Amino acid sequence: MTRTGGCQCGAVRYELDGEPNDVALCHCAGCRRSSGAPVMAWAGWAESGLRLTQGAPKVVNSSGKSLRSFCGACGTGLFYRNEEFLPGIVEVTVGSFDA
């Protein structure tokens, strides 16, 4: 199965192959601050299953080895990576899926 998604303004688009390894809600301080919400919904995929089809997100080291990716134009949060705790996994914001 292929899932598609992207940011609010359409500058960054992606495709994901296969099924997620996990789906989780996070309420850590970093997720609350980056989203402005009390909780974030994430779905984890193997990094090899993610393909950018348009644009490129801005990447910020949010803490230690945590990398958060978002659209530099509209600010939509898209991806989270942490090779120390989630090697080979990219967490994708569920709210950025097309459906």
Side-chain angles (χ1 to χ4, degrees), residues 14-15 21 27 39 46 52-53 58 65 74 81 85 88 98:
Y14 64 81
E15 290 181 352
N21 299 322
H27 56 85
V39 67
L52 290 173
T53 58
K58 181 171 177 148
K65 296 188 180 190
C74 70
R81 293 174 175 92
F85 296 110
D98 288 336

Side-chain angles (χ1 to χ4, degrees), residues 3-95:
R3 185 175 301 271
T4 60
C7 67
Q8 184 176 12
C9 73
V12 180
R13 301 283 306 152
Y14 64 81
E15 290 181 352
L16 295 161
D17 287 331
E19 296 296 321
N21 299 322
D22 64 86
V23 177
L25 297 175
C26 185
H27 56 85
C28 77
C31 284
R32 290 193 321 263
R33 286 185 179 139
S34 72
S35 69
V39 67
M40 285 282 293
W42 297 97
W45 257 266
E47 184 74 48
S48 61
L50 172 66
R51 271 188 320 282
L52 290 173
T53 58
Q54 182 171 305
K58 181 171 177 148
V59 179
V60 171
N61 182 323
S62 60
S63 61
K65 296 188 180 190
S66 297
L67 302 175
R68 293 182 185 272
S69 302
F70 59 94
C71 175
C74 70
T76 301
L78 297 167
F79 313 120
Y80 173 87
R81 293 174 175 92
N82 186 315
E83 280 299 314
E84 182 178 359
F85 296 110
L86 300 166
I89 302 294
V90 57
E91 294 287 333
V92 181
T93 56
V94 172

